[in-house]
Short mmCIF file of all heavy atoms in Angstrom, two decimals:
data_model
loop_
_atom_site.label_atom_id
_atom_site.label_comp_id
_atom_site.label_asym_id
_atom_site.label_seq_id
_atom_site.Cartn_x
_atom_site.Cartn_y
_atom_site.Cartn_z
N ASP J 30 77.88 32.71 -57.82
CA ASP J 30 78.20 31.31 -57.52
C ASP J 30 77.40 30.37 -58.43
O ASP J 30 76.58 30.80 -59.23
CB ASP J 30 77.91 31.06 -56.07
CG ASP J 30 78.89 30.02 -55.49
OD1 ASP J 30 79.58 29.38 -56.25
OD2 ASP J 30 78.93 29.91 -54.24
N LEU J 31 77.69 29.12 -58.29
CA LEU J 31 77.03 28.10 -59.11
C LEU J 31 75.73 27.69 -58.42
O LEU J 31 75.68 27.51 -57.23
CB LEU J 31 77.94 26.86 -59.23
CG LEU J 31 77.51 25.75 -60.13
CD1 LEU J 31 77.72 26.14 -61.57
CD2 LEU J 31 78.32 24.52 -59.83
N SER J 32 74.66 27.57 -59.21
CA SER J 32 73.42 26.99 -58.65
C SER J 32 73.06 25.72 -59.42
O SER J 32 73.27 25.65 -60.64
CB SER J 32 72.30 28.01 -58.74
OG SER J 32 71.91 28.26 -60.07
N LEU J 33 72.56 24.75 -58.70
CA LEU J 33 72.21 23.47 -59.31
C LEU J 33 70.90 23.00 -58.80
O LEU J 33 70.58 23.11 -57.60
CB LEU J 33 73.27 22.40 -58.88
CG LEU J 33 74.70 22.52 -59.39
CD1 LEU J 33 75.60 21.59 -58.61
CD2 LEU J 33 74.77 22.28 -60.84
N SER J 34 70.05 22.50 -59.72
CA SER J 34 68.82 21.86 -59.26
C SER J 34 68.51 20.72 -60.24
O SER J 34 68.85 20.80 -61.45
CB SER J 34 67.64 22.84 -59.16
OG SER J 34 67.32 23.30 -60.44
N THR J 35 67.90 19.69 -59.71
CA THR J 35 67.60 18.53 -60.60
C THR J 35 66.12 18.19 -60.52
O THR J 35 65.48 18.45 -59.49
CB THR J 35 68.39 17.28 -60.19
OG1 THR J 35 68.07 16.93 -58.86
CG2 THR J 35 69.91 17.53 -60.25
N ARG J 36 65.60 17.68 -61.62
CA ARG J 36 64.24 17.18 -61.64
C ARG J 36 64.13 16.03 -62.65
O ARG J 36 64.93 15.96 -63.59
CB ARG J 36 63.25 18.29 -62.00
CG ARG J 36 63.42 18.88 -63.41
CD ARG J 36 62.46 20.04 -63.63
NE ARG J 36 62.46 20.45 -65.04
CZ ARG J 36 63.28 21.33 -65.58
NH1 ARG J 36 64.24 21.86 -64.82
NH2 ARG J 36 63.21 21.68 -66.86
N ASN J 37 63.17 15.16 -62.44
CA ASN J 37 63.00 14.02 -63.33
C ASN J 37 61.84 14.29 -64.26
O ASN J 37 60.78 14.83 -63.86
CB ASN J 37 62.74 12.74 -62.54
CG ASN J 37 63.98 12.32 -61.79
OD1 ASN J 37 65.10 12.35 -62.31
ND2 ASN J 37 63.83 11.95 -60.52
N VAL J 38 62.05 13.99 -65.55
CA VAL J 38 61.07 14.22 -66.58
C VAL J 38 60.95 12.94 -67.38
O VAL J 38 61.95 12.25 -67.67
CB VAL J 38 61.50 15.35 -67.53
CG1 VAL J 38 60.49 15.61 -68.60
CG2 VAL J 38 61.74 16.64 -66.70
N SER J 39 59.72 12.58 -67.80
CA SER J 39 59.56 11.39 -68.62
C SER J 39 59.55 11.79 -70.12
O SER J 39 58.87 12.75 -70.48
CB SER J 39 58.23 10.70 -68.30
OG SER J 39 58.33 10.07 -67.05
N GLY J 40 60.30 11.05 -70.89
CA GLY J 40 60.34 11.30 -72.32
C GLY J 40 60.04 10.00 -73.05
O GLY J 40 59.86 8.94 -72.41
N PRO J 41 59.94 10.07 -74.39
CA PRO J 41 59.63 8.85 -75.18
C PRO J 41 60.66 7.75 -75.01
O PRO J 41 60.31 6.56 -75.14
CB PRO J 41 59.57 9.37 -76.61
CG PRO J 41 60.26 10.69 -76.58
CD PRO J 41 60.13 11.25 -75.23
N GLY J 42 61.88 8.16 -74.65
CA GLY J 42 62.95 7.16 -74.50
C GLY J 42 63.07 6.65 -73.06
O GLY J 42 63.95 5.89 -72.75
N GLY J 43 62.18 7.20 -72.18
CA GLY J 43 62.27 6.81 -70.77
C GLY J 43 62.52 8.01 -69.90
O GLY J 43 62.43 9.19 -70.34
N ASP J 44 62.83 7.77 -68.63
CA ASP J 44 63.04 8.88 -67.67
C ASP J 44 64.33 9.59 -67.97
O ASP J 44 65.36 9.03 -68.30
CB ASP J 44 63.06 8.36 -66.27
CG ASP J 44 61.66 8.03 -65.75
OD1 ASP J 44 60.68 8.41 -66.46
OD2 ASP J 44 61.54 7.38 -64.71
N ARG J 45 64.26 10.92 -67.83
CA ARG J 45 65.45 11.75 -67.99
C ARG J 45 65.61 12.62 -66.74
O ARG J 45 64.63 13.08 -66.18
CB ARG J 45 65.29 12.71 -69.20
CG ARG J 45 65.09 11.99 -70.56
CD ARG J 45 66.40 11.33 -71.01
NE ARG J 45 66.32 10.64 -72.27
CZ ARG J 45 66.10 9.32 -72.39
NH1 ARG J 45 65.93 8.56 -71.33
NH2 ARG J 45 66.08 8.76 -73.58
N THR J 46 66.84 12.83 -66.32
CA THR J 46 67.09 13.71 -65.22
C THR J 46 67.63 15.08 -65.76
O THR J 46 68.64 15.07 -66.43
CB THR J 46 68.11 13.10 -64.25
OG1 THR J 46 67.57 11.83 -63.81
CG2 THR J 46 68.32 14.04 -63.04
N VAL J 47 66.89 16.11 -65.50
CA VAL J 47 67.31 17.42 -65.96
C VAL J 47 68.13 18.12 -64.86
O VAL J 47 67.63 18.23 -63.75
CB VAL J 47 66.10 18.30 -66.37
CG1 VAL J 47 66.57 19.67 -66.83
CG2 VAL J 47 65.30 17.61 -67.47
N VAL J 48 69.34 18.49 -65.14
CA VAL J 48 70.18 19.26 -64.21
C VAL J 48 70.24 20.67 -64.69
O VAL J 48 70.77 20.98 -65.74
CB VAL J 48 71.60 18.65 -64.14
CG1 VAL J 48 72.45 19.40 -63.11
CG2 VAL J 48 71.60 17.17 -63.86
N GLU J 49 69.58 21.55 -63.90
CA GLU J 49 69.57 22.95 -64.31
C GLU J 49 70.72 23.66 -63.59
O GLU J 49 70.85 23.67 -62.39
CB GLU J 49 68.26 23.59 -63.85
CG GLU J 49 67.90 24.88 -64.54
CD GLU J 49 66.52 25.36 -64.10
OE1 GLU J 49 65.52 24.59 -64.18
OE2 GLU J 49 66.45 26.50 -63.65
N VAL J 50 71.61 24.22 -64.43
CA VAL J 50 72.85 24.87 -63.91
C VAL J 50 72.74 26.37 -64.10
O VAL J 50 72.35 26.84 -65.20
CB VAL J 50 74.10 24.33 -64.62
CG1 VAL J 50 75.37 24.83 -63.89
CG2 VAL J 50 74.11 22.81 -64.69
N GLY J 51 73.08 27.12 -63.10
CA GLY J 51 73.08 28.61 -63.22
C GLY J 51 74.35 29.20 -62.66
O GLY J 51 75.00 28.54 -61.80
N GLY J 52 74.73 30.34 -63.14
CA GLY J 52 75.90 31.03 -62.61
C GLY J 52 77.16 30.70 -63.37
O GLY J 52 77.14 30.54 -64.57
N GLU J 53 78.28 30.60 -62.67
CA GLU J 53 79.56 30.47 -63.32
C GLU J 53 80.17 29.11 -63.03
O GLU J 53 80.28 28.70 -61.89
CB GLU J 53 80.52 31.58 -62.82
CG GLU J 53 79.97 32.99 -63.12
CD GLU J 53 80.99 34.09 -62.79
OE1 GLU J 53 81.93 33.81 -62.04
OE2 GLU J 53 80.80 35.21 -63.28
N ILE J 54 80.58 28.41 -64.11
CA ILE J 54 81.27 27.13 -63.93
C ILE J 54 82.74 27.40 -64.25
O ILE J 54 83.11 27.63 -65.38
CB ILE J 54 80.74 26.08 -64.93
CG1 ILE J 54 79.20 26.02 -64.90
CG2 ILE J 54 81.34 24.70 -64.59
CD1 ILE J 54 78.62 25.02 -65.92
N ASP J 55 83.55 27.43 -63.21
CA ASP J 55 85.00 27.65 -63.40
C ASP J 55 85.79 26.73 -62.47
O ASP J 55 85.23 25.78 -61.90
CB ASP J 55 85.36 29.12 -63.23
CG ASP J 55 85.29 29.57 -61.75
OD1 ASP J 55 84.86 28.79 -60.89
OD2 ASP J 55 85.66 30.76 -61.48
N VAL J 56 87.06 27.01 -62.39
CA VAL J 56 87.98 26.16 -61.61
C VAL J 56 87.54 26.03 -60.14
O VAL J 56 87.76 25.01 -59.49
CB VAL J 56 89.43 26.70 -61.74
CG1 VAL J 56 89.56 28.05 -61.05
CG2 VAL J 56 90.46 25.70 -61.19
N TYR J 57 86.80 27.04 -59.64
CA TYR J 57 86.35 27.00 -58.24
C TYR J 57 85.03 26.23 -58.08
O TYR J 57 84.88 25.44 -57.17
CB TYR J 57 86.18 28.43 -57.70
CG TYR J 57 85.68 28.53 -56.31
CD1 TYR J 57 86.32 27.85 -55.27
CD2 TYR J 57 84.58 29.31 -56.00
CE1 TYR J 57 85.84 27.96 -53.96
CE2 TYR J 57 84.09 29.42 -54.70
CZ TYR J 57 84.73 28.74 -53.68
OH TYR J 57 84.26 28.81 -52.43
N THR J 58 84.11 26.43 -58.98
CA THR J 58 82.76 25.87 -58.84
C THR J 58 82.60 24.51 -59.54
O THR J 58 81.69 23.77 -59.20
CB THR J 58 81.68 26.83 -59.35
OG1 THR J 58 81.93 27.08 -60.77
CG2 THR J 58 81.73 28.18 -58.62
N ALA J 59 83.45 24.23 -60.53
CA ALA J 59 83.28 22.98 -61.31
C ALA J 59 83.22 21.71 -60.44
O ALA J 59 82.46 20.78 -60.76
CB ALA J 59 84.35 22.87 -62.38
N PRO J 60 84.03 21.64 -59.35
CA PRO J 60 83.95 20.46 -58.50
C PRO J 60 82.53 20.16 -57.98
O PRO J 60 82.13 19.01 -57.81
CB PRO J 60 84.91 20.77 -57.37
CG PRO J 60 85.93 21.66 -57.95
CD PRO J 60 85.13 22.52 -58.92
N LYS J 61 81.74 21.22 -57.72
CA LYS J 61 80.34 21.02 -57.24
C LYS J 61 79.49 20.37 -58.32
O LYS J 61 78.66 19.52 -58.03
CB LYS J 61 79.74 22.40 -56.85
CG LYS J 61 80.37 22.99 -55.63
CD LYS J 61 79.82 24.42 -55.35
CE LYS J 61 80.75 25.15 -54.44
NZ LYS J 61 80.57 26.59 -54.50
N LEU J 62 79.72 20.77 -59.56
CA LEU J 62 78.96 20.19 -60.68
C LEU J 62 79.41 18.72 -60.85
O LEU J 62 78.60 17.82 -61.03
CB LEU J 62 79.20 20.96 -61.96
CG LEU J 62 78.54 20.38 -63.24
CD1 LEU J 62 77.01 20.33 -63.07
CD2 LEU J 62 78.91 21.25 -64.45
N ARG J 63 80.70 18.50 -60.71
CA ARG J 63 81.21 17.13 -60.81
C ARG J 63 80.58 16.22 -59.77
O ARG J 63 80.11 15.13 -60.06
CB ARG J 63 82.76 17.11 -60.67
CG ARG J 63 83.35 15.68 -60.72
CD ARG J 63 84.83 15.67 -60.49
NE ARG J 63 85.58 16.19 -61.62
CZ ARG J 63 86.43 17.18 -61.57
NH1 ARG J 63 86.61 17.84 -60.44
NH2 ARG J 63 87.03 17.59 -62.63
N GLU J 64 80.53 16.72 -58.49
CA GLU J 64 79.92 15.94 -57.44
C GLU J 64 78.46 15.58 -57.76
O GLU J 64 78.02 14.49 -57.52
CB GLU J 64 79.97 16.75 -56.14
CG GLU J 64 81.29 16.67 -55.42
CD GLU J 64 81.33 17.71 -54.27
OE1 GLU J 64 80.27 18.03 -53.71
OE2 GLU J 64 82.45 18.16 -53.96
N GLN J 65 77.76 16.62 -58.27
CA GLN J 65 76.34 16.39 -58.60
C GLN J 65 76.17 15.32 -59.66
O GLN J 65 75.31 14.44 -59.55
CB GLN J 65 75.73 17.74 -59.08
CG GLN J 65 74.30 17.62 -59.58
CD GLN J 65 73.30 17.51 -58.45
OE1 GLN J 65 72.89 18.50 -57.86
NE2 GLN J 65 72.88 16.27 -58.14
N LEU J 66 76.97 15.38 -60.72
CA LEU J 66 76.87 14.41 -61.78
C LEU J 66 77.26 13.00 -61.30
O LEU J 66 76.57 12.01 -61.62
CB LEU J 66 77.76 14.80 -62.97
CG LEU J 66 77.34 16.12 -63.68
CD1 LEU J 66 78.34 16.41 -64.82
CD2 LEU J 66 75.95 16.12 -64.21
N VAL J 67 78.29 12.92 -60.50
CA VAL J 67 78.75 11.64 -59.97
C VAL J 67 77.64 11.02 -59.07
O VAL J 67 77.32 9.82 -59.18
CB VAL J 67 80.05 11.76 -59.14
CG1 VAL J 67 80.38 10.51 -58.36
CG2 VAL J 67 81.24 12.12 -60.08
N GLU J 68 77.03 11.87 -58.25
CA GLU J 68 75.98 11.43 -57.35
C GLU J 68 74.79 10.88 -58.16
O GLU J 68 74.24 9.84 -57.82
CB GLU J 68 75.54 12.60 -56.46
CG GLU J 68 74.72 12.27 -55.30
CD GLU J 68 74.34 13.51 -54.49
OE1 GLU J 68 75.29 14.27 -54.11
OE2 GLU J 68 73.15 13.71 -54.27
N LEU J 69 74.41 11.60 -59.20
CA LEU J 69 73.26 11.17 -60.00
C LEU J 69 73.54 9.78 -60.60
O LEU J 69 72.68 8.90 -60.57
CB LEU J 69 72.97 12.20 -61.08
CG LEU J 69 72.28 13.47 -60.65
CD1 LEU J 69 72.27 14.48 -61.75
CD2 LEU J 69 70.83 13.17 -60.18
N VAL J 70 74.74 9.62 -61.17
CA VAL J 70 75.08 8.33 -61.81
C VAL J 70 75.13 7.23 -60.75
O VAL J 70 74.64 6.13 -61.01
CB VAL J 70 76.40 8.44 -62.59
CG1 VAL J 70 76.86 7.13 -63.13
CG2 VAL J 70 76.26 9.47 -63.75
N ASN J 71 75.70 7.55 -59.61
CA ASN J 71 75.78 6.55 -58.52
C ASN J 71 74.36 6.12 -58.06
O ASN J 71 74.18 5.02 -57.62
CB ASN J 71 76.57 7.06 -57.34
CG ASN J 71 78.06 7.12 -57.66
OD1 ASN J 71 78.51 6.54 -58.63
ND2 ASN J 71 78.83 7.83 -56.80
N ASP J 72 73.41 7.09 -58.19
CA ASP J 72 72.05 6.77 -57.77
C ASP J 72 71.24 6.15 -58.91
O ASP J 72 70.04 5.97 -58.76
CB ASP J 72 71.34 8.07 -57.29
CG ASP J 72 71.91 8.55 -55.96
OD1 ASP J 72 72.61 7.78 -55.34
OD2 ASP J 72 71.68 9.74 -55.62
N GLY J 73 71.89 5.89 -60.03
CA GLY J 73 71.17 5.18 -61.08
C GLY J 73 70.56 6.05 -62.15
O GLY J 73 69.79 5.54 -62.98
#
Side-chain angles (χ1 to χ4, degrees):
Chain J
D30 213 345
L31 186 75
S32 67
L33 293 168
S34 67
T35 61
R36 63 183 190 275
N37 291 316
V38 180
S39 288
D44 284 349
R45 299 287 181 264
T46 303
V47 179
V48 182
E49 199 177 306
V50 190
E53 302 188 341
I54 311 176
D55 72 354
V56 66
Y57 178 53
T58 61
K61 292 173 197 162
L62 178 60
R63 179 184 285 122
E64 280 169 27
Q65 174 76 83
L66 296 179
V67 168
E68 194 179 307
L69 285 169
V70 173
N71 287 346
D72 290 346

